[in-house]
Amino acid sequence: MTITPPDLSVFETLESEVRSYCRGWPTVFDRAQGSRMYDEDGHEYLDFFAGAGSLNYGHNNAVLKRALIDYLERDGVTHGLDMSTTAKRAFLESFQNLVLRPRDLPYKVMFPGPTGTNAVEAALKLARKVKGRESIVSFTNAFHGMSLGALAVTGNAFKRAGAGIPLVHGTPMPFDHYLDGQVPDFLWFERLLEDQGSGLNTPAAVIVETVQGEGGINVARPDWLRSLAELCERRDMLLIVDDIQMGCGRTGAFFSFEEAGITPDIVTVSKSISGYGLPMSLCLFKPELDLWEPGEHNGTFRGNNPAFVTAAAALETYWSDGPAMEKQTLSRGQQVQEVLGALQDAHRDEIVEFRGRGLVWGMEFRDKARAGAIAKRAFELGLLIETSGPESEVVKLLPALTITPDELDEGLRTLARAVRETA
């Protein structure tokens, strides 16, 4: 059978060289539904990428699509800046009743702009305003976004270099497991805080991901997170949890920090908060931190009303029946864990380890180029997966939370085949 190569000419000649995902998946996608994507020639792909975590409920989720179409067909407000609208009110009420109140979380809700990096910038700006200090502590292998403030607290050297200017007022500390348990947790951090000669200005805040997605699926232990929260409280630093990729149920609970039993001062949320892949982000913070002056932080597209509509529909559909969604995600995660365990047993000399929580998992390979080869072969076999880690040495699995057990099994079998065929 002869396969006609896709026409990529307009992308290759007109679009910037900065494009990335399309290089690993050289086809032209046309439609998508649930956990499946289809290119313009009708080839089917099982999606273990989920829009980098923006599609926790799958592509074109029928319930969310219906709510969106109904809203558009009645000429609901599309662009609203920070005006009060019926769509925003419905989302805020659903978010309060289904997310915040059941978890006894006191947060005020801020709409900082359409993307995760907007939420991070707002969080950093607010922390500095509240504490009157400039320094922010982040962690090794962190990723918080591509704007300058977010890059300053990001670890990846390649991404940081793209800034083109010095990235200042951020200090990295070792993430959990970074020193392989050879040094007590936070020993270095505590010593720098105590020593007047350390050169570390007293931080306004610490920003952390409970699971580092882009950093290689590095999972922080609940005890480590609790100790970090206690350190922040004791040293008068705000704790910011970046839940942009790991929130909205990705690790099981709605917020990834729930397992640790902590209440961060500030939380950033984006990606799957709209439920449909529409741009939307939140910056959540304790009421006593709400020191903003009107308009002090703003953005033209912070009032994406179609996103409010699908976000409210997602909450009502998937988070109104108590722990059902969390239990389903943890069950699917167990299914992934068992298969990855068997894969490691079969390829023990090649796989360093696998790690994850809920429905985010990674496999790290001794040969750092192997992960990219596996992702390439998986695409040829009809499976979309990406890599992560500082040297792209980790195969990253990020399927939709709504994926069926059969679809999950199909994708894992394809992954196992890709591992075998790239050995």
Side-chain angles (χ1 to χ4, degrees), residues 126 131 154 208 260 299 311:
L126 180 59
K131 292 299 182 183
T154 287
V208 67

Side-chain angles (χ1 to χ4, degrees), residues 201-278:
N201 296 329
T202 302
V206 175
I207 185 168
V208 67
E209 303 153 275
T210 67
V211 180
Q212 295 181 326
E214 296 301 309
I217 318 301
N218 305 313
V219 183
R221 292 166 295 145
D223 284 349
W224 187 87
L225 292 168
R226 284 191 287 270
S227 295
L228 176 61
E230 187 274 332
L231 174 61
C232 287
E233 183 175 9
R234 178 161 42 86
R235 292 288 185 171
D236 189 33
M237 302 178 295
L238 297 179
L239 176 60
I240 305 169
V241 168
D242 181 340
D243 232 8
I244 288 166
Q245 188 169 80
M246 298 303 155
C248 302
R250 174 55 57 181
T251 64
F254 188 87
F255 293 111
S256 69
F257 56 80
E258 291 182 51
E259 181 188 25
I262 61 174
T263 303
D265 298 292
I266 304 175
V267 182
T268 60
V269 181
S270 187
K271 290 195 183 284
S272 276
I273 189 60
S274 81
Y276 203 74
L278 298 175

Side-chain angles (χ1 to χ4, degrees), residues 126-196:
L126 180 59
R128 287 170 170 140
K129 177 181 176 67
V130 169
K131 292 299 182 183
R133 309 179 205 132
E134 298 174 352
S135 177
I136 304 288
V137 164
S138 58
F139 290 94
T140 50
N141 289 314
F143 177 76
H144 295 290
M146 297 298 280
S147 51
L148 292 180
L151 275 177
V153 291
T154 287
N156 186 281
F158 173 74
K159 293 180 173 66
R160 289 175 62 88
I165 62 171
L167 296 170
V168 297
H169 308 307
T171 302
M173 293 292 166
F175 191 72
D176 195 13
H177 305 300
Y178 188 75
L179 299 173
D180 298 322
Q182 298 178 38
V183 177
D185 295 337
F186 309 114
L187 177 67
W188 175 239
F189 194 178
E190 289 261 30
R191 181 66 178 133
L192 291 180
L193 290 170
E194 292 168 357
D195 186 358
Q196 295 300 304

